[in-house]
Amino acid sequence: KLNPYLMGGVAVLFHNPQARTPIEFGNAWINLKPLNTEGQGKEGYAKPYTTTVITIPVGVGLKYKLSNRIDLGFEAGFRFTFTDYLDDVSGNYPNMWDLDSDLARAMSNRSLEQTSAGTGADRKFIVDGLAQQLNGYLTYVGADGKTYNTFNGYGREGDQRGSPKVNDYYLVTGFKLNYLIGVGKKQVEAEKSKVNYIFRYDK
């Protein structure tokens, strides 16, 4: 009645990274890929990533036979992907002046946001605490003549934003209720014959 199993295969994944904009940009959910937050597609930067990728599901499961046709199961499996952009973050920070808009710049480096975009909570004490750990704030003038603010040693071109050495992966767990449509009349009759035979034998 109890059957453990291994599973594996190949799958296609469509993903669309999104995030809430800062309060000053309306605090709305937006798609991140069109913003090219790491300068993708610009000269000297990586190519734009695709939102349709191959994944490799690998996992284990356990099935319990409730009846001749119904199984209840639990399954847990990793999905190893061939992308590092499930969350729109992979490589290094770009030159902020290479990005196409103020919104793209705001979504590329969110470290100094004073208000949480998700809850509206005050983040100033978090930002100030990080500033102490990262040797304070940094203000610099870009090639476009605009002034930019970030942490010292964090958020300028070439500073680490993600980790491109390892692709993204995720874990899927869940319960399954399977109805077996392959149990036909012949199998049911065979089960009846088996029961009758055993009954006659015992008698």
Side-chain angles (χ1 to χ4, degrees):
K1 285 201 168 192
L2 199 61
N3 294 296
Y5 63 90
L6 301 175
M7 69 92 176
V10 179
V12 177
L13 167 71
F14 172 78
H15 67 107
N16 183 33
Q18 294 183 325
R20 278 188 182 275
T21 60
I23 301 297
E24 58 269 28
F25 286 93
N27 197 220
W29 284 101
I30 61 167
N31 297 333
L32 294 174
K33 183 179 184 295
L35 298 179
N36 298 314
T37 56
E38 291 183 2
Q40 298 97 328
K42 302 283 187 179
E43 185 177 353
Y45 294 98
K47 295 179 180 179
Y49 59 86
T50 178
T51 54
T52 303
V53 295
I54 300 295
T55 70
I56 305 295
V58 178
V60 296
L62 190 66
K63 289 196 301 185
Y64 180 77
K65 194 174 185 65
L66 295 176
S67 70
N68 196 40
R69 287 181 178 270
I70 301 176
D71 291 336
L72 177 65
F74 173 80
E75 188 173 283
F78 280 99
R79 303 298 193 265
F80 296 95
T81 75
F82 290 91
T83 182
D84 192 36
Y85 284 103
L86 288 187
D87 55 358
D88 190 62
V89 176
S90 177
N92 298 326
Y93 283 95
N95 277 323
M96 289 297 139
W97 54 87
D98 286 338
L99 302 183
D100 292 330
S101 65
D102 289 337
L103 177 59
R105 287 183 273 273
M107 301 305 284
S108 179
N109 183 0
R110 311 192 65 172
S111 54
L112 298 184
E113 287 182 28
Q114 300 290 310
T115 304
S116 169
T119 65
D122 185 5
R123 294 183 71 247
K124 189 176 187 307
F125 73 99
I126 297 176
V127 174
D128 289 342
L130 286 171
Q132 292 179 2
Q133 296 179 34
L134 298 171
N135 302 316
Y137 299 100
L138 174 68
T139 299
Y140 62 97
V141 178
D144 57 354
K146 293 183 178 180
T147 300
Y148 296 96
N149 300 306
T150 187
F151 290 123
N152 191 21
Y154 182 86
R156 296 190 68 177
E157 181 194 17
D159 290 339
Q160 184 176 358
R161 186 171 187 253
S163 180
K165 295 180 180 179
V166 180
N167 285 336
D168 292 333
Y169 59 89
Y170 58 99
L171 176 69
V172 175
T173 61
F175 289 94
K176 291 185 175 183
L177 188 64
N178 299 319
Y179 181 78
L180 308 179
I181 60 175
V183 181
K185 183 177 180 180
K186 289 184 178 180
Q187 185 171 346
V188 173
E189 291 297 327
E191 292 294 329
K192 286 182 179 179
S193 299
K194 183 178 179 181
V195 172
N196 290 339
Y197 172 76
I198 294 173
F199 177 77
R200 288 196 301 270
Y201 177 80
D202 290 343
K203 184 177 180 182

